[in-house]
């Protein structure tokens, strides 16, 4: 494994930690800054909005910047955002710091995925991308619980100072280990933007926005639910967050081979299972062992949606590999912002600490409906799998037209069900996130 992938994984670990740690610190931040937990939930939304806006904007602005330099600039912005969060004098400045820290998130993973694939040997590109996203997965098992524990004992500002230090370490690793990678000669922002106008791409992104919002409607307030609804002490918050991270990892690992076999059925099944788990969540949360099981299941079924969504979007946006990957992170983080906001609205309305689960179930069902609609509309067309090399623009697997994706003789896609035709496999976050990804 190239050591450069380690530098990318360290960066992903820092990004994943700062993205999700706020869920565990909401009660502490609310108490310290004299606001309510639902209002503090806007800090989750602020980061997510930064990702949504920053992914396409920074990807476009940096389209002609050498890859290594772009990664360093993005990680520098991430570090400054976390330092600003740690030093924020009031809630408004903390909102701004969170927004700033979120700006480079999607662009970093979009560029990082292309760099990881470029560094890998032939036939090992997917594993390389998965290695980078492994940092995001580890962040949810180790980084987020540890950072939450640190914040509870030393204050939430200490958490962001440590994350800023991780950002500096990641910059040093990137500078030392990542080789110079020039911008591809054929890269054209306008071409990528045109590819994103594909109806199936837009429906895929919309599915991510609604479906994944169901996860964040609950996850954003999981820390408060642990003490207020489950009846656990504050010291148990780290355990609950770790269980969610374990579930997330298991879901991402299961989604890979399932997506290779049947992409859309995996997407439909995971969204349907997510809606069911969210409906059942409020009825089981008062039984300690059942609550812990449901938290793990929520992480698993929630993050099972990320891999098929990432592959779907990348397959359909075949001419926009970098921007499609970055936009996928925008969609997931728009879901993050929307889910956190709607969950907070339900709590503020006096519907109870578990009410965000019902909100999440409605959102997951809406995502499933959009996914089913997209699948129905796609039935009359041959499904296009991404086979073109994102770096060269050519199709190494067959003689098909790299722009249309069809066999010039039959008009169909002869590689439709080839598992090796996928640009990524299991182990990525958010699929990538995405993530898992995306993630």
């Amino acid at each position: 494994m190239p050591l450069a992938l380690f530098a990318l994984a360290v960066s992903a670990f820092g990004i994943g930690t700062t993205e999700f740690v706020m869920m565990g610190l909401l009660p502490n931040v609310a108490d310290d800054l004299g606001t309510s937990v639902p209002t503090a939930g806007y800090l989750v939304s602020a980061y997510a909005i930064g990702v949504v806006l920053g992914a396409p904007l920074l990807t476009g602005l940096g389209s002609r910047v050498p890859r290594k330099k772009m990664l360093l600039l993005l990680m520098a912005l991430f570090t400054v955002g976390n330092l600003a969060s740690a030093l924020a004098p009031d809630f408004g400045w903390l909102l701004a710091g969170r927004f700033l820290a979120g700006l480079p998130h999607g662009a970093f993973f979009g560029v990082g995925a292309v760099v990881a694939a470029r560094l890998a040997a032939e036939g090992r590109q997917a594993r390389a991308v998965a290695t980078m996203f492994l940092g995001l997965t580890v962040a949810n098992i180790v980084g987020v619980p540890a950072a939450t524990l640190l914040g509870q004992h030393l204050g939430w500002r200490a958490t962001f100072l440590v994350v800023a230090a991780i950002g500096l370490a990641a910059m040093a690793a990137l500078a030392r280990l990542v080789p110079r990678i020039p911008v591809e000669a054929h890269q054209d922002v306008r071409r990528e933007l045109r590819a994103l106008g594909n109806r199936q791409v837009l429906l895929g992104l919309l599915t991510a926005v609604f479906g994944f919002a169901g996860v964040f409607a609950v996850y954003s307030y999981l820390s408060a639910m642990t003490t207020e609804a489950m009846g656990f002490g504050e010291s148990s918050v780290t355990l609950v967050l770790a269980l969610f991270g374990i579930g997330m990892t298991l879901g991402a690992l299961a989604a890979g081979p399932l997506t290779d076999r049947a992409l859309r059925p995996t997407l439909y099944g995971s969204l349907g299972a997510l809606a069911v788990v969210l409906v059942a969540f409020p009825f089981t949360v008062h039984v300690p062992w059942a609550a812990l099981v449901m938290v793990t299941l929520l992480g698993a079924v929630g993050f099972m949606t990320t891999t098929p969504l990432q592959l779907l979007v990348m397959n359909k946006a075949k001419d926009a590999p970098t921007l499609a990957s970055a936009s996928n992170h925008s969609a997931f983080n728009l879901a993050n912002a929307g889910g956190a906001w709607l969950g907070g609205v339900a709590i503020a309305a006096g519907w109870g600490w578990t009410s965000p689960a019902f909100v999440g179930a409605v959102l997951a069902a809406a995502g499933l409906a959009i996914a089913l609609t997209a699948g129905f509309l796609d039935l009359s067309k041959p499904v296009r799998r991404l086979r073109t090399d994102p770096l060269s623009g050519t199709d190494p697997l067959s003689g098909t037209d790299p722009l249309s994706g069809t066999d010039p003789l039959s008009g169909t896609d002869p590689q439709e069900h080839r598992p090796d035709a996928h640009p990524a496999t299991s182990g990525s976050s958010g699929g990538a996130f995405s993530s898992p990804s995306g993630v």
Side-chain angles (χ1 to χ4, degrees):
M1 179 185 76
L3 287 176
L5 296 180
F6 172 77
L8 293 172
V10 171
S11 303
F13 177 84
I15 292 174
T17 299
T18 203
E19 178 184 13
F20 296 114
V21 74
M22 185 54 71
M23 286 72 163
L25 295 176
L26 284 183
N28 306 83
V29 173
D31 289 342
D32 186 51
L33 298 180
T35 187
S36 66
V37 171
T39 299
Y42 293 146
L43 296 168
V44 177
S45 299
Y47 182 92
I49 292 172
V51 179
V52 171
L53 298 178
L57 177 63
L58 296 182
T59 300
L61 291 175
S63 61
R64 298 192 180 279
V65 177
R67 299 302 191 185
K68 179 176 180 176
K69 183 177 180 180
M70 186 64 179
L71 290 173
L72 286 169
L73 289 172
L74 292 170
M75 190 50 57
L77 183 58
F78 165 84
T79 302
V80 171
N82 280 283
L83 185 59
S85 298
L87 302 177
D90 55 36
F91 185 75
W93 281 102
L94 182 55
L95 272 175
R98 290 291 292 168
F99 173 80
L100 185 62
L103 283 174
H105 176 124
F108 184 91
F109 282 122
V111 175
V114 174
V115 169
R118 179 75 172 268
L119 294 173
E122 183 66 30
R124 300 180 67 87
Q125 289 91 343
R127 297 183 189 182
V129 174
T131 299
M132 178 184 71
F133 283 116
L134 183 63
L136 194 63
T137 303
V138 173
N140 281 274
I141 299 176
V142 178
V144 172
T148 300
L149 189 64
L150 177 68
Q152 290 172 346
H153 287 82
L154 299 180
W156 58 269
R157 296 178 189 276
T159 295
F160 291 113
L161 284 174
V162 169
V163 175
I166 294 174
L168 290 174
M171 289 179 63
L174 291 169
R176 175 68 176 171
L177 301 177
V178 175
R180 184 180 181 277
I181 299 176
V183 178
E184 294 76 30
H186 73 278
Q187 185 161 331
D188 184 348
V189 175
R190 288 174 296 182
R191 183 182 183 186
E192 294 212 3
L193 287 173
R194 285 195 299 270
L196 288 181
N198 182 292
R199 181 174 64 181
Q200 286 295 321
V201 172
L202 296 176
L203 287 173
L205 295 175
L206 198 59
T207 300
V209 170
F210 279 89
F212 210 65
V215 178
F216 278 96
V218 173
Y219 186 46
S220 300
Y221 303 97
L222 192 56
S223 177
M225 289 182 190
T226 299
T227 56
E228 301 294 335
M230 300 179 194
F232 293 118
E234 187 179 60
S235 60
S236 299
V237 171
T238 53
L239 170 64
V240 173
L241 293 176
L243 287 175
F244 183 89
I246 291 171
M248 182 193 82
T249 304
L250 294 175
L253 291 173
L258 289 174
T259 302
D260 279 340
R261 292 182 176 87
L263 190 154
R264 288 195 187 272
T266 300
L267 178 58
Y268 303 152
S270 58
L271 286 171
L274 175 60
V276 171
V277 168
L278 287 168
V279 169
F281 189 86
F283 300 103
T284 59
V285 74
H286 301 293
V287 180
W289 68 267
L292 298 179
V293 170
M294 293 304 293
V295 167
T296 307
L297 284 176
L298 177 62
V301 298
F303 280 79
M304 277 187 69
T305 65
T306 59
T307 297
L309 278 171
Q310 174 179 310
L311 286 175
L312 179 64
V313 170
M314 292 185 71
N315 289 340
K316 299 302 180 180
K318 53 187 177 296
D319 295 326
T322 304
L323 191 55
S325 180
S327 297
N328 207 34
H329 284 278
S330 289
F332 281 120
N333 279 272
L334 188 58
N336 185 335
W341 176 67
L342 291 173
V345 168
I347 294 173
W351 296 347
W353 286 104
T354 59
S355 59
F358 291 120
V359 174
V362 173
L363 291 168
L368 176 59
I370 296 170
L372 289 169
T373 300
F376 175 78
L377 293 175
D378 207 32
L379 281 177
S380 60
K381 297 180 180 180
V383 181
R384 164 70 173 134
R385 296 291 187 192
L386 179 68
R387 296 189 314 282
T388 57
D389 183 348
L391 304 174
S392 67
T394 61
D395 185 346
L397 296 177
S398 69
T400 59
D401 179 357
L403 295 179
S404 68
T406 59
D407 186 317
L409 298 179
S410 66
T412 62
D413 185 342
Q415 304 295 332
E416 164 64 20
H417 299 294
R418 283 184 56 137
D420 60 347
H422 295 326
T425 57
S426 64
S428 65
S429 168
F433 293 90
S434 98
S435 92
S437 243
V439 142

